Amino acid sequence: MKEKLEALRQEALDQLQGVEDVQKLNDLRVKYLGKKGALTEILRGMGALSAEERPVIGQVANDVRGAIEAVIESKQEAFQKAETEQRLQAEKIDVTLPGRKMAQGGIHPLNKVIEEIEEIFIGMGYHIAEGPEVETDYYNFEALNLPKNHPARDMQDTFYITEELLMRTQTSPVQIRTMEKMQGEVPVKVICPGKVYRRDDDDATHSFQFNQIEGLVIGENIRMSDLKGTLLQFVQEMFGPNTQIRLRPSFFPFTEPSAEVDVTCVKCGGSGCRMCKHTGWLEILGCGMVHPKVLEMGGYDPEKYSGFAFGMGVERIAILKYGIDDIRHFYSSDLAFLKQFARQ
């Protein structure tokens, strides 16, 4: 049996010397050391040996197994090293190549306009106030002088969650919440930016969701002239120092008197063009003096205090400022469109 083991050792070592791939190496390991391999077959005859011979043959068998395993492990390490070298060469990086520039994003045009409007009004002493987009009927309508079944509600049809909960149609509820928070103290000077929702069909000039910024000022002896001066300063900082405004009488339930505000056409400067339909003016926002009932609902004495309010659509401002012809561009995630503003 000892001679068989020595012959097996020599045969296995000779076979292993010519191995050139991992699969062949694994096959030889199974052939000589596997459960049904050549070494196991020889050792099955151990039972016929005497008690004195078994330790001797056992030691020889262990030496044979050790010698074969040592060669197999050495071959495996060599194959793994060669594979690693080959992979490193294939994945080698040429550090002399110019670096790839990381794609750089930009601020969305609507956010740019919101930030610019906020900066203008902060410069005039205003604070920013925010409120929930899911609003109660009380804050969205009733506290703004729009009681149940008021016909003006039809102009602001929105998405109702329950009979008393809805997606806000304007950021005016933030004005009421601010008045309540102030508990009758003055002055109040806030702008209220945020998303609003109305049940509307999407087209070039309308969307069911858009951004709005409203402003509120309350104090003693606040007049319509203060409102006009504020808006004139705003449009001249937003559109240029030569921009002028005009106020046209209008109706809003929460202001009295109320007005629509036009600015001189940003394209023709007021001389008349297709953009302004040859009138020289473009409508930009609505405004007015805060209605006495709204002041009362907010906790202010209309006999002592007065105020003005205004509201503008951010998309409308952006369309005029950048000459955009379709509101849907703002929401299409078109990189070709958005990249224009990343450079500005």
Side-chain angles (χ1 to χ4, degrees):
M1 183 174 288
K2 183 177 179 181
E3 289 77 10
K4 288 183 179 180
L5 290 171
E6 292 295 343
L8 177 64
R9 182 210 304 257
Q10 192 60 46
E11 178 187 337
L13 296 180
D14 291 342
Q15 290 285 326
L16 290 169
Q17 289 302 320
V19 174
E20 296 182 354
D21 60 76
V22 176
Q23 184 60 49
K24 180 66 174 176
L25 183 66
N26 188 57
D27 292 343
L28 289 176
R29 182 187 62 78
V30 173
K31 176 180 179 181
Y32 291 109
L33 303 180
K35 292 182 178 180
K36 297 181 180 180
L39 182 59
T40 303
E41 287 295 326
I42 293 174
L43 294 178
R44 283 176 181 170
M46 290 279 286
L49 299 176
S50 64
E52 294 79 10
E53 291 177 316
R54 286 176 186 173
V56 177
I57 298 302
Q59 182 61 47
V60 174
N62 287 336
D63 292 343
V64 170
R65 180 184 293 277
I68 296 174
E69 286 179 342
V71 174
I72 291 175
E73 289 177 4
S74 176
K75 287 285 186 180
Q76 284 178 331
E77 291 178 2
F79 289 148
Q80 289 175 356
K81 183 177 181 180
E83 181 183 355
T84 301
E85 288 291 336
Q86 184 178 6
R87 188 169 64 251
L88 289 174
Q89 288 297 324
E91 298 175 358
K92 188 175 181 180
I93 299 174
D94 185 353
V95 295
T96 65
L97 288 174
R100 297 192 182 105
K101 291 184 178 180
M102 296 293 290
Q104 187 173 6
I107 301 176
H108 193 280
L110 292 180
N111 289 336
K112 289 171 73 73
V113 170
I114 291 172
E115 290 179 3
E116 187 171 354
I117 294 173
E118 289 177 345
E119 288 177 2
I120 292 172
F121 282 101
I122 287 174
M124 289 191 277
Y126 284 69
H127 298 280
I128 297 173
E130 296 181 337
E133 293 179 22
V134 178
E135 192 54 275
T136 64
D137 185 89
Y138 171 79
Y139 284 109
N140 196 80
F141 290 125
E142 293 184 44
L144 294 167
N145 200 29
L146 281 161
K148 300 286 188 182
N149 301 317
H150 193 290
R153 287 195 180 203
D154 294 340
M155 300 170 61
Q156 298 188 25
D157 194 9
T158 184
F159 303 95
Y160 281 83
I161 299 170
T162 68
E163 288 187 1
E164 296 300 323
L165 283 178
L166 50 88
M167 304 301 292
R168 67 182 180 188
T169 63
Q170 52 203 353
T171 56
S172 301
V174 184
Q175 298 182 19
I176 298 296
R177 291 179 177 273
T178 300
M179 293 163 69
E180 290 182 347
K181 184 178 180 181
M182 294 292 290
Q183 297 182 340
E185 295 183 4
V186 293
V188 177
K189 292 183 72 175
V190 295
I191 56 169
C192 315
K195 293 186 180 70
V196 298
Y197 305 83
R198 297 184 187 179
R199 193 185 65 80
D200 211 340
D201 294 329
D202 284 354
D203 57 30
T205 57
H206 298 86
S207 175
F208 68 90
Q209 174 227 291
F210 55 97
N211 293 271
Q212 192 177 57
I213 293 181
E214 298 199 10
L216 173 68
V217 172
I218 298 176
E220 294 187 29
N221 301 316
I222 301 298
R223 299 168 296 182
M224 195 78 174
S225 57
D226 298 319
L227 169 60
K228 184 176 180 180
T230 298
L231 296 179
L232 179 61
Q233 182 175 341
F234 162 68
V235 300
Q236 289 183 342
E237 291 194 40
M238 177 61 67
F239 299 109
N242 296 323
T243 308
Q244 297 299 316
I245 65 172
R246 72 175 183 182
L247 277 62
R248 292 179 289 107
S250 185
F251 167 77
F252 302 112
F254 29 82
T255 55
E256 181 60 34
S258 304
E260 298 282 359
V261 180
D262 301 332
V263 297
T264 47
C265 180
V266 295
K267 185 174 183 180
C268 67
S271 60
C273 65
R274 291 182 60 186
M275 184 175 182
C276 61
K277 299 179 181 178
H278 301 283
T279 65
W281 298 95
L282 294 169
E283 183 180 328
I284 190 174
L285 57 86
C287 65
M289 301 301 293
V290 180
H291 197 288
K293 288 187 177 180
V294 176
L295 287 172
E296 287 181 358
M297 296 290 277
Y300 287 85
D301 181 0
E303 297 295 328
K304 183 177 180 181
Y305 299 111
S306 58
F308 64 75
F310 55 86
M312 66 189 79
V314 175
E315 285 81 352
R316 176 65 174 167
I317 303 294
I319 283 174
L320 296 179
K321 186 174 180 64
Y322 297 121
I324 298 166
D325 60 357
D326 195 323
I327 193 175
R328 290 170 290 193
H329 290 319
F330 294 124
Y331 309 109
S332 63
S333 300
D334 183 349
L335 290 180
F337 170 77
L338 296 174
K339 284 180 179 178
Q340 302 176 76
F341 306 95
R343 297 188 294 269
Q344 296 181 11

